[in-house]
């Protein structure tokens, strides 16, 4: 197991001494996920999924290792990241172009679309990365349409879903209607709205609470407006959006 984990440690190009990982909890957790990589790759190969999709998907581990280094100074994986990484390694989520697409049983009733809790959907996630231009987003959906039809033909679905702070109407206060985030938001029909501060975690990754924001100097007009609204007591939401899958 140690040799296998070391192989994948080198694959990712993590800096530092691999042997040190066994000496602290975050390092041991990283080893756990490194040991999953070989079997994970085998599943992609058995399905005939191109290597570049495996590469993009498995590298979903890297931001969480980087986050651990920034917050603890150690190479590893924090406990708070494990739920997401379990999904990454579940062989239900795939990184296709700019977006991630996950085969998922919806956990809400959505009567407007006739969806019932437990129905199959493809849940869309937005990793950090390049701008969400219409061309890039459309290319990801085109990839997803072909990908699931070819590799998972038995997984039938009629809708994509997205549960994100990017679908919150509050963003109209902060962004121009022609911005990429607003254009992405308007691709979806909003159906379920939950009061949450997720936007703070993503816009201020190292200052993800209202209390911490007081000491943060924003580097963009968007971040400045979000900070001011948060400090003044404004509410933010995560919104479940629904989008019809094309035939």
């Amino acid at each position: 197991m140690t040799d296998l984990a070391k192989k994948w440690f080198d694959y990712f190009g993590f800096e530092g001494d691999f042997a040190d990982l066994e000496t602290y909890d975050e390092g041991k957790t990283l080893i756990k996920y490194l040991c999953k990589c070989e079997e994970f790759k085998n599943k992609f190969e058995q399905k005939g999924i191109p290597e570049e999709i495996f590469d993009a998907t498995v590298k979903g581990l890297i931001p969480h290792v980087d986050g651990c280094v920034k917050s603890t100074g150690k190479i590893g994986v924090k406990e708070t990241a494990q739920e997401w990484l379990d999904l990454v390694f579940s062989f239900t989520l795939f990184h296709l172009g700019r977006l991630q697409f996950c085969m998922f049983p919806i956990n809400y009733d959505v009567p407007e679309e006739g969806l019932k809790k437990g129905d199959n959907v493809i849940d869309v996630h937005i990793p950090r990365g390049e701008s969400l231009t219409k061309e890039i987003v459309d290319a990801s959906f085109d990839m997803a349409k072909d990908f699931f039809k070819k590799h998972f033909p038995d997984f039938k679905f009629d809708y994509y879903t997205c549960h994100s702070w990017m679908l919150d109407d509050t963003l109209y206060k902060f962004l121009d209607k022609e911005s990429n985030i607003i254009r992405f938001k308007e691709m979806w029909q909003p159906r379920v709205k939950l009061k949450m501060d997720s936007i703070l975690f993503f816009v201020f990754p190292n200052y993800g609470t209202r209390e911490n924001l007081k000491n943060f100097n924003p580097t963009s007009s968007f971040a400045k407006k979000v900070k001011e609204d948060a400090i003044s007591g404004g509410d933010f939401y995560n919104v479940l959006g629904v989008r019809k899958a094309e035939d």
Side-chain angles (χ1 to χ4, degrees):
M1 295 293 284
T2 300
D3 290 344
L4 190 59
K6 177 64 165 60
K7 169 188 171 180
W8 288 97
F9 184 86
D10 294 339
Y11 166 90
F12 287 108
F14 295 137
E15 297 180 358
D17 190 341
F18 173 79
D20 289 342
L21 298 182
E22 285 281 9
T23 65
Y24 53 94
D25 289 342
E26 295 87 351
K28 292 176 183 177
T29 303
L30 175 56
I31 289 174
K32 179 181 78 171
Y33 287 105
L34 293 174
C35 288
K36 292 176 180 284
C37 292
E38 194 76 18
E39 181 181 357
F40 193 48
K41 184 178 183 182
N42 289 341
K43 289 180 178 179
F44 278 73
E45 292 176 346
Q46 290 164 9
K47 275 282 189 181
I49 298 173
E51 187 172 355
E52 59 266 26
I53 294 177
F54 164 75
D55 190 64
T57 302
V58 78
K59 285 183 177 177
L61 175 63
I62 293 176
H64 298 281
V65 175
D66 290 344
C68 184
V69 171
K70 288 177 182 177
S71 61
T72 70
K74 300 176 181 177
I75 300 170
V77 169
K78 296 176 68 175
E79 183 178 356
T80 52
Q82 291 190 57
E83 182 177 1
W84 171 254
L85 289 176
D86 287 344
L87 181 61
V88 169
F89 283 90
S90 68
F91 200 60
T92 61
L93 179 143
F94 304 92
H95 199 132
L96 305 172
R98 176 64 180 85
L99 303 171
Q100 294 164 320
F101 297 83
C102 183
M103 298 182 291
F104 189 72
I106 192 169
N107 47 14
Y108 297 97
D109 289 333
V110 185
E112 296 91 338
E113 277 73 32
L115 285 168
K116 295 181 180 179
K117 183 177 180 180
D119 285 350
N120 286 349
V121 296
I122 298 293
D123 200 38
V124 178
H125 299 268
I126 312 136
R128 299 185 192 278
E130 60 188 317
S131 297
L132 291 167
T133 65
K134 183 180 186 304
E135 295 75 16
I136 287 174
V137 170
D138 286 348
S140 275
F141 275 97
D142 287 344
M143 286 182 68
K145 177 181 176 181
D146 294 339
F147 176 86
F148 290 105
K149 185 179 293 186
K150 178 177 181 179
H151 297 292
F152 296 92
D154 294 335
F155 187 85
K156 306 299 184 184
F157 66 98
D158 294 318
Y159 289 93
Y160 295 99
T161 59
C162 182
H163 193 190
S164 174
W165 62 268
M166 288 190 185
L167 308 189
D168 182 3
D169 285 345
T170 307
L171 297 182
Y172 286 120
K173 297 196 300 185
F174 312 137
L175 294 168
D176 185 272
K177 65 180 182 179
E178 297 301 318
S179 73
N180 289 325
I181 289 178
I182 294 297
R183 285 177 174 172
F184 181 83
K185 170 191 166 3
E186 292 181 344
M187 292 171 56
W188 304 88
Q189 295 297 321
R191 294 303 184 224
V192 179
K193 181 176 175 180
L194 300 174
K195 189 174 176 180
M196 297 178 71
D197 278 349
S198 298
I199 187 174
L200 303 183
F201 173 79
F202 287 97
V203 178
F204 313 102
N206 296 317
Y207 299 84
T209 67
R210 292 176 187 249
E211 295 76 17
N212 289 342
L213 287 183
K214 296 174 183 177
N215 299 318
F216 180 76
N217 294 318
T219 56
S220 70
S221 60
F222 174 57
K224 183 174 184 289
K225 291 173 184 177
V226 172
K227 175 185 174 180
E228 290 171 351
D229 204 58
I231 289 176
S232 67
D235 293 329
F236 303 113
Y237 298 87
N238 272 19
V239 175
L240 173 70
V242 179
R243 183 186 187 193
K244 186 79 169 71
E246 297 179 4
D247 295 328

